[in-house]
Amino acid sequence: FTSAPSTNRCAKMADETIVKQPGPLKSFLAGGGGGICLVLVGHPLDTIKVRIQAMEVVAGKAPQYSGMIDCAKQIVAKQGVQGLYSGMAAPLAGVAPMYALCFLGYGFGKQLFCDADAFENLKLHQIGMAGAFSSLFTTPILGPGERLKCVLQVQAMDGYKGVKYNGYKELVTGLYKEGGAMGIARGSGITLVRDGVASFFYFSTYEFLKKKMTPQGEKGPSVLGTFMAGGFAGIANWCSMLPIDTVKSRYQVAPEGKYSGVYAVFKDILAKEGPRGFYKGLTPVVVRAFPANAACFAGYEFVSSMLTKAGLE
């Protein structure tokens, strides 16, 4: 009888190519490293995105920005290159714990929603639900952080009628006096919806492409493969959530009392700008999404590999 040893060898070879999913602590630490890489690469284009999204269109009047390049030129002309990094302190300070929590939540989501063979057989609906679950871990940080970041990013715009703040301490104090704790957390609900949708497509796209770009017999893709998978995952992430993000940004930067809620923002954009109004900022989003998220997943995988060498599973 010679088939049994052959079968055992095949089973052993199959087991060796199966990538063990990282544990919670490893996901937490590697996610923090990936998040820092993402912000450093992508924040300038995020500033442009928010400026374009917050720009109001008045009938018969030329818009303040004709496009992404024009917006960047105006920012640099008025504020210098540092203007592109306006509001970066909040996401940079919060991004390490936020992405750490994001990947930690994704790890717990895998345990809740994914079968044992979900990643080998690409059960994308299960992987997507695990990704969406991660938004529950990030919104408590990201919701207020997005509010602060967006206000600082738009207050240098022509026609801005709100109070202008000199730094985060003055901003937090001012928003608290204006609307209490809810004033600081304005838009957190729609941030949760936005990130749930986005993370569904983010992680399912990454795992799909990562699997497809992994050579037969290997446990993972090359560095280039990781960059490509992460970059396209970032594009899927943003294209799926941009309409929600546009409503969120407009709501978070509006003067207190202008809108009764996010539905009022939705109706206002639809009435004044039509469906295309929800996709404002698409060009800088797509341009930013690829390199920023390629850097994120490359950073994540690098830190994860270092932790594996250190003995952390």
Side-chain angles (χ1 to χ4, degrees):
F1 296 91
T2 59
S3 59
S6 177
T7 302
N8 289 338
R9 282 197 300 271
C10 291
K12 184 177 181 181
M13 288 174 64
D15 289 340
E16 286 175 351
T17 62
I18 295 175
V19 179
K20 183 178 180 182
Q21 295 301 310
L25 179 59
K26 187 176 181 180
S27 296
F28 182 83
L29 296 174
I36 291 174
C37 293
L38 181 143
V39 172
L40 292 175
V41 172
H43 190 79
L45 284 162
D46 184 69
T47 298
I48 294 170
K49 172 190 73 72
V50 171
R51 291 283 187 95
I52 292 175
Q53 286 179 329
M55 173 183 66
E56 292 200 32
V57 176
V58 179
K61 188 177 180 181
Q64 183 178 354
Y65 306 119
S66 62
M68 182 183 75
I69 301 299
D70 180 55
C71 181
K73 286 180 178 178
Q74 290 193 41
I75 293 172
V76 173
K78 292 178 180 178
Q79 299 174 261
V81 175
Q82 64 268 27
L84 295 170
Y85 290 90
S86 296
M88 192 175 75
L92 192 57
V95 78
M98 184 191 72
Y99 267 81
L101 288 172
C102 176
F103 279 88
L104 176 65
Y106 179 46
F108 283 122
K110 292 175 188 177
Q111 296 175 7
L112 288 173
F113 297 103
C114 295
D115 295 334
D117 64 342
F119 292 85
E120 289 304 305
N121 295 321
L122 292 177
K123 296 181 178 180
L124 298 180
H125 63 290
Q126 294 183 2
I127 297 171
M129 287 302 298
F133 184 76
S134 71
S135 64
L136 295 175
F137 288 69
T138 59
T139 298
I141 295 175
L142 191 58
E146 284 277 299
R147 164 78 156 136
L148 301 178
K149 172 182 72 73
C150 287
V151 171
L152 286 180
Q153 284 176 322
V154 304
Q155 67 178 9
M157 289 175 61
D158 292 341
Y160 177 75
K161 298 177 181 178
V163 179
K164 293 191 176 184
Y165 301 97
N166 295 314
Y168 281 98
K169 182 177 181 180
E170 187 176 313
L171 173 58
V172 171
T173 301
L175 292 179
Y176 184 80
K177 288 180 179 178
E178 188 178 83
M182 293 301 294
I184 297 173
R186 185 205 291 180
S188 291
I190 192 172
T191 300
L192 176 63
V193 174
R194 180 198 72 168
D195 291 349
V197 171
S199 295
F200 181 98
F201 290 98
Y202 189 50
F203 286 105
S204 59
T205 300
Y206 177 71
E207 298 293 355
F208 173 80
L209 293 175
K210 179 182 176 182
K211 176 72 173 177
K212 293 299 182 182
M213 292 181 182
T214 298
Q216 188 173 5
E218 298 292 331
K219 292 186 176 182
S222 64
V223 174
L224 178 60
T226 298
F227 263 82
M228 296 297 289
F232 282 113
I235 291 175
N237 172 84
W238 274 102
C239 286
S240 67
M241 73 166 170
L242 187 60
I244 307 171
D245 185 65
T246 298
V247 173
K248 177 203 72 70
S249 294
R250 186 74 63 88
Y251 181 57
Q252 287 185 316
V253 303
E256 186 71 26
K258 180 175 181 178
Y259 297 113
S260 59
V262 293
Y263 185 60
V265 182
F266 172 83
K267 291 194 297 182
D268 185 52
I269 295 173
L270 187 63
K272 292 180 179 178
E273 304 171 50
R276 293 182 64 182
F278 295 104
Y279 289 90
K280 290 168 66 175
L282 178 62
T283 301
V285 158
V286 172
V287 172
R288 169 188 179 270
F290 193 96
N293 289 281
C296 175
F297 277 106
Y300 170 83
E301 296 291 358
F302 174 76
V303 174
S304 182
S305 67
M306 292 298 101
L307 294 173
T308 298
K309 291 178 180 178
L312 182 63
E313 296 295 333

